[in-house]
Amino acid sequence: MPEAPALKKTLTLFDVYAISTGAMFSSGFFLLPGLATAKAGPATVLAYFLAGVFILPAMFSVAELSTAMPKAGGAYYFLDRSLGPLAGTVGGLGTWLALVLKSAFALVGMGAYLVFYVDVPIKPLAVALTVAFAALNIVGAKETSGLQRVFVTVLVAVLSFFVVQGLFAVAGLDGAEVGRQFTPFLPFGAEGLVATVGLVFVSYAGLTKVASVAEEIQNPDRNIPLGMALSLVTATAIYCIGVFIMIAVLEPSELRSDLTPVATAAATFFDWLPGGAGLVLIVVAAVAAFASTGNAGILSASRYPLAMARDGLVTRRLAVLGKSGTPVPAILLTAGLMVAVILLLDVEGIAKLASAFQLLIFGLLNVAVIVMRESRIPSYVPGYRSPLYPWLQIVGVVTPLVLIAELGGLAIGLSLVAGVAGVVWYVVYVQPNPDVVREGAIYHLFARLGQRRYEGLDAELRTILKDKGLSDETPFEHLVTRAAVIDLDAAGSFDDVIRLSAERLAARTGLPVGRLAEGLLAGSRTGSTPVSHGVALPHLRLVEVDHPELVLVRTRTPLAIPIDTTGDAQPNVDARVHALFVLLSPLNPPGRHLRTLAALARRIDEDPFLDDWLRAETEQGLKEVLIHNDRFLALTLDRDGPLSGLIGKPLRDVPLPRGVLVALVHRGDEIAVPGGGTVLEAGDRLTVIGDSAGIGAVSEQFGA
């Protein structure tokens, strides 16, 4: 299939926090406490806490999967790439439906609070809000997340005020009276508690919603896990303390039938505010909460049909991006289904269905982490790894099954119907599609047991690594400046060039030349040596190696390299290259090796690379071709130039910004890696490397 256009990376850590937090604070706080206490009594506080604990396996698993595969589609993409297109189809449709249900629930709930001031029918209002948020999502993700920031800032500020005032109010009550409110603590027994945990679990389901927009998040390795963790801490604290306050200040019978419990509770201790300002604040917070959930719901849910369309699981029309770079058809389809849900289902029914679907998906996501880890795909390199593996994932698989069983026959039945519908869609539409030829990582796991595997997945994950770029743990520029260089007019055979490279690596590592050469050649025989744009990347990882080493080879006449194009691990075509980048890395961590390959591949893919490579006149020039222009600077010391004042100085006395260093000195026919005592001479050519800001400062400082 042709490659779909990528979504723009515009979302920051605050956006991740806002999407996750806004997706959790709506029905779960402003509507469900009354329904929940009718099933669990005062133990509802414990139910909210346990639901927050039970979401942890899913949160950690989603964080790991999102940092390994930050692509649109979230749970769909993870399930498809781990368990295969059948699981992806069922999981994608189920998750999309769960998000639609949750978002619809929120917009219905908004009407329950707006009627305090505006007498409007709830469902038509929810439909109108769905249309408005769909229009905003079409305009752009940045605009959508900007509004989300406003909603969440207002929401958290008001709810923090509610919690502080509520705790003061409870502290002023008679202790015996508060004790009576919480007695008996479990009026409906443990069964009622477990059922309530399943019901309120939907309150936390929005936490992982941000994974579906992972492709649009800047620095996902940091921002996704950190943003979700901050969001969960915020939500769990406000949920548990807020519900504790509601139970303490309201009569049990009143609370159990109340669809606006926060407003009712606030009325008992906000009476000191003038002119009913307390109720106004709660209504504003409720509207912000429901609006943020509906807004974020359309944003994240619409990425599911987009991702599935990219992969051929649904019509390709849903992968089309509009003028603003947003998936317009997918947004319209999502909003249309939300309207149907709002008009056809009741509030508690929506909550139960959303919980059942989300519980099922969370269980499968924990399975996905186990499969990806045990498949041992080299390119599976998450920026964040779940703790307590695999025990946390096992708990995350078992817990949803128990909670689903407590939600009742209707929720279970409709979940099964949705699953069967996904299987039917796969058999009728997906399986006959010739474009869907991939398999999940589970076949890599089967390969360890003698079954088949899908090599295309490793290539796809390498592409994702390339898109993520090189992490700071392996300074790419340092590796390039230390690299050995072999410049050949006539290359001879590929085996000869590899042996020559192995000799350079052996001189640096002390390892046998024959072992290095055989290891590098074995990769090309099995098809694991990337060849693209006239460049080959032979690579090898060995346990005896302490740090990466690189050999740069230029051949002015093309070198023939046998490669495999049929997938049978047998070379069948000769590719012609002018460059070999021979990389030797430690065995661990594997991510360092793969990120270095990704950085090399990213540079190779740039159009002028090969022309610049062939035009370079010196070894230093070859190295500078590999380093991005904004990360290096070439300075020449002339007696009459702007840098004449540096001549005769030791390098340690040259004023350079923090994070910038002189990596190479080209003097006559020699290239040296300088030290602090290296005295600069007239005619020296310096290769300066560092971050973009530092290089810019050096350029301005020396007028380069």
Side-chain angles (χ1 to χ4, degrees), residues 81-97:
R81 283 357 182 229
S82 59
L83 303 178
L86 175 57
T89 302
V90 175
L93 292 174
T95 308
W96 177 58
L97 184 57

Side-chain angles (χ1 to χ4, degrees), residues 660-679:
V660 174
L661 59 85
V662 177
L664 293 174
V665 174
H666 186 189
R667 180 174 296 166
D669 294 330
E670 297 182 356
I671 296 177
V673 177
T678 300
V679 178

Side-chain angles (χ1 to χ4, degrees), residues 152 364 678:
V152 170
L364 290 174
T678 300

Side-chain angles (χ1 to χ4, degrees), residues 434-489:
D435 289 332
V436 183
V437 295
R438 65 188 177 279
E439 299 291 353
I442 194 166
Y443 286 114
H444 290 250
L445 177 58
F446 289 164
R448 295 171 57 193
L449 306 175
Q451 300 293 324
R452 64 185 184 180
R453 59 192 285 161
Y454 175 59
E455 298 295 345
L457 180 60
D458 187 46
E460 182 176 354
L461 294 182
R462 284 188 198 174
T463 301
I464 293 174
L465 275 176
K466 185 172 71 172
D467 292 340
K468 287 173 67 177
L470 185 68
S471 79
D472 290 338
E473 66 175 314
T474 306
F476 178 64
E477 290 78 11
H478 291 198
L479 178 62
V480 172
T481 55
R482 289 190 295 103
V485 176
I486 301 173
D487 198 1
L488 303 170
D489 289 324

Side-chain angles (χ1 to χ4, degrees), residues 27-45:
S27 56
F29 191 72
F30 290 93
L31 284 181
L32 278 186
L35 298 172
T37 54
K39 295 179 180 296
T44 300
V45 176

Side-chain angles (χ1 to χ4, degrees), residues 248-274:
V249 303
L250 297 178
E251 286 298 322
S253 59
E254 180 184 4
L255 176 58
R256 292 171 188 177
S257 60
D258 197 341
L259 281 180
T260 58
V262 181
T264 307
T268 66
F269 52 79
F270 274 171
D271 52 353
W272 60 274
L273 292 172

Side-chain angles (χ1 to χ4, degrees), residues 476 480 535 552 554 579 581 599-600 602-604 606 608-629 632 685 687:
F476 178 64
V480 172
V535 181
L552 310 180
R554 175 170 65 176
F581 301 145
L600 288 166
R602 185 175 55 184
R603 182 68 183 99
I604 292 164
E606 296 174 5
F609 170 77
L610 195 56
D611 291 339
D612 293 344
W613 178 257
L614 292 173
R615 279 198 302 265
E617 296 180 357
T618 64
E619 290 186 8
Q620 186 177 10
L622 288 171
K623 293 179 178 181
E624 290 173 357
V625 169
L626 272 175
I627 304 174
H628 282 281
N629 290 334
F632 90 97
R685 178 181 165 89
T687 298

